[in-house]
Amino acid sequence: QVQLVESGGGLVQAGGSLRLSCAASGRTGSRDAVGWFRQAPGKERKFVAAITWDGRTTSYEVSVKGRFTISRDNAKNTVYLQMNSLKPEDTAVYYCAARFSGTHTAPNEYPYWGQGAQVTVSS
């Protein structure tokens, strides 16, 4: 079992920045890939970014590429999502998720989820 807790959400003006953190506990030290997803009201949960267990490979959804950066510090069992140049359309609840083995863009491929962090970008 892996427990995930997100933090760092909040309210920011368009053009601003936020950094989300995803702290893992439980079966730490395993080779879990971690993904970030987001869900706006009334919409499906969608892929944002993902990183392999060793941090060597990352992937991003097209609309966030160049603005968001995913990284991890395995010594702290924490994955980060640095979000710059935020836009109102980035407003959503952001979730981190973990899976053993490689990254994936489909939410149903991740068995472990955090509770979510609200990110609101005002125009």
Side-chain angles (χ1 to χ4, degrees):
Q1 287 288 344
V2 177
Q3 291 79 44
L4 304 171
V5 178
E6 300 96 337
S7 61
L11 172 64
V12 65
Q13 288 188 333
S17 298
L18 283 174
R19 188 178 79 159
L20 300 179
S21 299
C22 173
S25 61
R27 194 189 66 188
T28 56
S30 63
R31 299 190 174 192
D32 290 322
V34 173
W36 283 98
F37 295 81
R38 64 187 179 185
Q39 188 167 20
K43 296 189 177 181
E44 294 181 347
R45 192 169 297 187
K46 294 185 177 180
F47 172 77
V48 175
I51 189 167
T52 52
W53 73 273
D54 57 2
R56 291 184 179 180
T57 303
T58 58
S59 57
Y60 297 91
E61 192 269 328
V62 171
S63 70
V64 307
K65 205 168 187 179
R67 300 188 297 122
F68 291 11
T69 303
I70 189 171
S71 62
R72 68 190 298 161
D73 183 342
N74 286 344
K76 297 182 179 179
N77 296 315
T78 301
V79 174
Y80 304 97
L81 185 68
Q82 177 67 44
M83 305 184 293
N84 299 328
S85 301
L86 283 162
K87 304 175 182 179
E89 51 264 42
D90 295 317
T91 295
V93 177
Y94 284 70
Y95 299 89
C96 65
R99 69 190 300 265
F100 189 72
S101 187
T103 60
H104 206 289
T105 60
N108 61 7
E109 291 289 334
Y110 290 78
Y112 306 108
W113 290 84
Q115 83 288 352
Q118 177 69 48
V119 171
T120 303
V121 184
S122 63
S123 57

